[in-house]
């Protein structure tokens, strides 16, 4: 942010977590209480960033493994003769989403807590 800015700056979504990073404004005469609040917000942001980056990485990896295993079971290659990526139908993907959410329910509850 420019030196003359007096606001927090919010960036574009992070490619791993999909969270928008925040650069917090630090007033020149920040009080100890303001500093504690800013630092708590920065730590919360860092914690959220770590959680969602790890969660999204796991999600994408498990999704690819699920698709690969289902296609393999059907005897279908990951890509067809034109190079187009093979996909599963909505019902098959719903199985993955349901299982993934069920398997990660406790993690989400702990995160929300």
């Amino acid at each position: 942010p420019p030196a003359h800015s007096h606001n927090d700056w919010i960036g574009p979504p992070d490619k791993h977590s999909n969270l928008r990073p925040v650069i917090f404004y630090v007033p020149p005469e920040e009080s100890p209480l303001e500093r504690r609040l800013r630092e708590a917000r920065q730590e919360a942001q860092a914690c959220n960033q770590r959680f969602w980056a790890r969660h999204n990485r796991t999600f994408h990896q498990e999704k690819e493994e699920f698709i690969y295993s289902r296609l393999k079971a059907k005897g279908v290659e990951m890509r067809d003769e034109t190079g187009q990526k093979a996909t599963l139908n909505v019902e098959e993907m719903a199985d993955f989403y349901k299982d993934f959410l069920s398997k990660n329910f406790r993690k989400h509850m702990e995160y929300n807590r």
Side-chain angles (χ1 to χ4, degrees):
H4 65 277
S5 175
H6 293 266
N7 299 303
D8 294 342
W9 279 63
I10 301 172
D14 178 79
K15 67 180 180 177
H16 302 290
S17 69
N18 292 326
L19 298 178
R20 296 175 64 120
V22 179
I23 298 173
F24 295 97
Y25 169 66
V26 181
E29 295 181 23
E30 183 178 54
S31 73
L33 185 58
E34 288 172 321
R35 180 176 178 214
R36 282 181 42 209
L37 175 60
R38 178 180 51 79
E39 289 173 346
R41 291 175 67 205
Q42 288 171 318
E43 178 53 36
Q45 179 186 356
C47 182
N48 288 333
Q49 171 67 26
R50 286 188 302 272
F51 176 85
W52 287 108
R54 186 171 40 247
H55 178 274
N56 292 344
R57 184 174 44 251
T58 301
F59 174 83
H60 291 294
Q61 180 181 347
E62 289 184 20
K63 181 179 169 186
E64 287 301 312
E65 291 169 359
F66 176 84
I67 292 170
Y68 177 77
S69 69
R70 287 286 175 105
L71 291 175
K72 187 176 179 182
K74 291 179 173 185
V76 176
E77 294 294 322
M78 286 295 284
R79 297 196 180 271
D80 64 17
E81 58 279 347
T82 65
Q84 186 82 356
K85 192 171 182 181
T87 59
L88 298 175
N89 65 38
V90 174
E91 290 81 18
E92 291 171 308
M93 289 309 300
D95 291 339
F96 166 75
Y97 297 130
K98 180 182 178 293
D99 290 343
F100 186 83
L101 288 173
S102 295
K103 188 167 62 174
N104 289 281
F105 178 78
R106 182 154 308 300
K107 285 181 191 175
H108 287 158
M109 290 298 290
E110 289 172 11
Y111 170 79
N112 286 327
R113 194 178 352 219

